[in-house]
Amino acid sequence: MEKQERELSALFLYRLMPIDKLRPYLSYIRINFASFRGLLVTVVLTGIIFAAIYKPLLELFGVSYLRWGLVVLLLIEIVAWIVVRKWLPKIPEGKLGLVFALYSEDNLEEIDAKKDFLDQVRKNLVADGLSELVTVVKVPNHIAEKVKNYEIARTINETVHGHYFVFGDVKKRPDGEKEKIFIDLSGLVVHSPIDKNSQFKLSADFVRSLPKEVEMLEEFRFRGFALTADFVYLSAKYIVGIAAFLSGDVNLAITLHERLIDDKLFQRNDLPPNIEEVKIKAKQLLAGSYLLKARMSLLKDDLASYSTFSKRAQSYYPNQYGFHLVRAVELFKEGDAKAAQQEIALAKNLANGAQEWRYSDAFLHYWLSEYDEAYKSSRKIVEHEYSEEWLTIQEVEQFCLNLLETYPDRNQLHFWLGYIAYKKLRDLVKALKYFELFLASVRPDQNILEEKAKTFISDIRSEMGLKE
């Protein structure tokens, strides 16, 4: 008897509102549940279904249980609505996060059009062996709709903890007799080990590298989303590589950029101009990464590794600024400081605003006892600053101290280190120590530096409140 009643009530519900009639409402709730209208439709639909099966339920549970059951069900829906409305995914600890906040209108959200896009990005990560390093997350559609500018993107990303944030719109519009899908993207880089200024520059570079105003016929949606996702993935890999380099992970930068330029997409003849630019810059960055490894090898007197890394750098981008800096170090170690100066002159001509060459220029003048030129170069260094300059200063200090152990007569290097500590680092204690070491072994031909050192020592003692 009970079985018959359940079957009759199910049949009654189906006749009252067949599944095919329910489907539009369920679809609306799935897409718009986080909105007030979505909650209202959910509550109304719950009420209708509840009314349809009220009599069988009344006989099974009684009036009191039935009323409380309805109250509990409605409370669960309201709590779920509050949670869904505010919920955002979070990047797991220790992983790089690639966040997508792409808003799509109802007609595209219904078919989950973004899934094609995100699935392709994840597929590329697996193919590159980066799925353990990078996590892809999707910001819910109702929150993605609010992301209209960088400030909102940053605010949302504070909760998500992403490192690379892509936001934009996916729309479907008529174009003549055909339906077309349009994608407009922008991006943001929030990589904590990198300073704010570098993050801003990376964000600008990220935006330039992303596909612009993509359009595709609706019937080719899957293929179009896959191709767009491939280009976005290339852009992300390019930017993640730069961020890795700036964070000090040169090996990861090399891995990412080598995979980038080997990507089959780069073999196409119809690449957008911004992707062509990525291809060129990736090679330059690879050359820079290998040059950094070459320089580190040279400072450790590992000439075999230096030769390998230097050749790799040249193969990606010959005759570039960084190569001449490293070549100058090599020539200096071979005992030809004059030839090293010629390399620095070549680096200067290719610097394009870079400032590292000035430290090599000043050092070589000091080494060759060209004190007038050395001091002029030192003053020029004080007039210029650049990102990560502290790393250059650390290298210069260690390089000079190593040389002084072998060549104690080159006491002018103590003056040079004192000048950097005083004028660049504002480290008065260290500056005083180096200047006093210089004066302790000053020679008659160093009277220019001697006078400067005495003046600096007097000024430093005055700043420190020490008696002469």
Side-chain angles (χ1 to χ4, degrees):
M1 188 66 179
E2 290 180 2
K3 182 180 179 183
Q4 287 178 334
E5 286 181 352
R6 286 197 297 271
E7 288 175 351
L8 285 171
S9 63
L11 180 63
F12 177 72
L13 175 61
Y14 177 76
R15 286 176 178 173
L16 177 72
M17 188 168 290
I19 295 300
D20 58 337
K21 289 185 178 180
L22 275 176
R23 191 170 287 117
Y25 298 100
L26 294 174
S27 179
Y28 181 86
I29 290 170
R30 183 179 70 83
I31 297 168
N32 299 289
F33 180 67
S35 68
F36 288 104
R37 284 186 180 181
L39 177 63
L40 183 61
V41 171
T42 303
V43 170
V44 170
L45 191 60
T46 301
I48 292 171
I49 294 172
F50 200 82
I53 57 175
Y54 177 75
K55 284 187 178 180
L57 289 177
L58 182 63
E59 292 178 9
L60 285 171
F61 301 107
V63 175
S64 180
Y65 281 112
L66 202 57
R67 286 175 179 172
W68 277 110
L70 180 59
V71 169
V72 170
L73 183 60
L74 291 174
L75 282 174
I76 289 172
E77 289 176 349
I78 292 169
V79 170
W81 176 78
I82 293 170
V83 171
V84 169
R85 189 175 174 82
K86 298 291 184 182
W87 180 83
L88 278 168
K90 288 184 175 61
I91 302 298
E93 192 75 28
K95 285 204 172 189
L96 289 176
L98 183 54
V99 182
F100 287 91
L102 304 180
Y103 170 68
S104 59
E105 296 169 330
D106 289 358
N107 52 5
L108 288 171
E109 186 68 7
E110 185 175 358
I111 60 175
D112 205 2
K114 288 179 295 191
K115 186 176 184 297
D116 303 337
F117 183 94
L118 296 177
D119 282 351
Q120 185 65 24
V121 174
R122 292 188 179 103
K123 180 181 173 183
N124 286 331
L125 282 170
V126 171
D128 269 344
L130 298 173
S131 57
E132 293 298 315
L133 174 69
V134 183
T135 296
V136 176
V137 300
K138 179 178 73 170
V139 172
N141 202 54
H142 64 280
I143 296 178
E145 184 181 9
K146 302 173 186 176
V147 186
K148 301 298 183 184
N149 55 51
Y150 288 99
E151 282 304 311
I152 298 172
R154 284 185 186 279
T155 300
I156 290 174
N157 195 62
E158 285 175 4
T159 301
V160 182
H161 304 309
H163 300 85
Y164 311 93
F165 196 102
V166 180
F167 61 96
D169 298 311
V170 183
K171 301 175 182 177
K172 185 162 74 172
R173 295 287 184 272
D175 186 18
E177 297 181 357
K178 296 279 189 178
E179 290 281 345
K180 277 190 175 180
I181 293 175
F182 297 85
I183 305 175
D184 190 27
L185 300 175
S186 196
L188 182 70
V189 176
V190 189
H191 203 292
S192 54
I194 304 171
D195 64 80
K196 294 289 183 184
N197 187 47
S198 296
Q199 286 182 22
F200 177 78
K201 290 178 181 177
L202 273 181
S203 295
D205 211 5
F206 195 19
V207 172
R208 282 195 299 271
S209 68
L210 287 169
K212 298 288 182 291
E213 298 177 350
V214 180
E215 59 180 76
M216 65 194 79
L217 290 172
E218 204 279 335
E219 57 261 41
F220 299 124
R221 183 190 79 239
F222 180 78
R223 191 186 307 168
F225 271 134
L227 182 59
T228 306
D230 284 342
F231 282 134
V232 170
Y233 179 68
L234 285 181
S235 301
K237 195 154 53 170
Y238 164 64
I239 294 297
V240 174
I242 298 174
F245 180 83
L246 293 176
S247 302
D249 195 340
V250 180
N251 291 327
L252 177 59
I254 288 172
T255 298
L256 290 169
H257 287 150
E258 285 190 329
R259 288 176 180 172
L260 180 68
I261 63 171
D262 288 339
D263 196 287
K264 62 182 179 182
L265 268 180
F266 276 147
Q267 312 310 315
R268 295 169 62 107
N269 296 320
D270 58 343
L271 288 175
N274 59 323
I275 300 298
E276 282 283 6
E277 185 180 351
V278 166
K279 186 177 179 179
I280 294 168
K281 284 187 174 180
K283 289 185 176 182
Q284 293 175 346
L285 290 163
L286 267 171
S289 298
Y290 274 116
L291 280 173
L292 181 59
K293 289 178 75 71
R295 186 171 69 183
M296 293 299 101
S297 299
L298 201 56
L299 292 174
K300 296 174 184 175
D301 288 325
D302 184 354
L303 297 182
S305 295
Y306 162 76
S307 177
T308 300
F309 295 140
S310 183
K311 286 176 182 175
R312 291 300 299 271
Q314 282 286 81
S315 70
Y316 284 117
Y317 199 74
N319 195 37
Q320 75 153 338
Y321 165 73
F323 174 76
H324 294 294
L325 290 181
V326 176
R327 177 64 178 153
V329 178
E330 181 184 22
L331 289 169
F332 175 80
K333 281 185 166 287
E334 291 175 356
D336 197 341
K338 283 291 184 182
Q341 281 185 320
Q342 293 173 9
E343 288 295 325
I344 296 303
L346 292 171
K348 177 184 175 182
N349 293 333
L350 295 169
N352 194 27
Q355 302 296 325
E356 297 92 342
W357 66 271
R358 294 186 183 279
Y359 281 90
S360 297
D361 181 58
F363 165 78
L364 289 169
H365 284 307
Y366 279 112
W367 183 263
L368 293 168
S369 302
E370 299 167 353
Y371 300 133
D372 278 333
E373 290 301 317
Y375 190 70
K376 287 177 186 176
S377 294
S378 300
R379 293 184 63 183
K380 285 289 183 182
I381 286 173
V382 176
E383 295 172 8
H384 298 84
E385 292 183 354
Y386 58 90
S387 177
E388 312 299 330
E389 186 174 8
W390 61 275
L391 283 173
T392 305
I393 292 173
Q394 279 187 354
E395 288 180 11
V396 168
E397 183 177 27
Q398 191 57 54
F399 189 67
C400 289
L401 290 175
N402 290 343
L403 285 171
L404 282 163
E405 288 182 7
T406 308
Y407 304 97
D409 59 313
R410 303 283 180 163
N411 65 333
Q412 61 264 40
L413 297 183
H414 279 131
F415 176 90
W416 167 223
L417 293 177
Y419 188 87
I420 294 173
Y422 184 34
K423 295 293 186 178
K424 271 295 188 181
L425 300 178
R426 294 300 298 163
D427 187 334
L428 302 184
V429 174
K430 183 180 281 189
L432 184 60
K433 180 185 78 171
Y434 285 136
F435 283 134
E436 288 178 340
L437 283 171
F438 166 70
L439 289 180
S441 58
V442 68
R443 298 190 300 272
D445 64 313
Q446 296 175 322
N447 60 314
I448 297 172
L449 301 184
E450 183 181 7
E451 290 176 11
K452 300 291 183 187
K454 287 178 179 178
T455 301
F456 291 143
I457 286 173
S458 177
D459 292 342
I460 290 169
R461 284 184 172 278
S462 175
E463 287 186 59
M464 295 175 69
L466 301 175
K467 293 181 180 180
E468 292 293 335

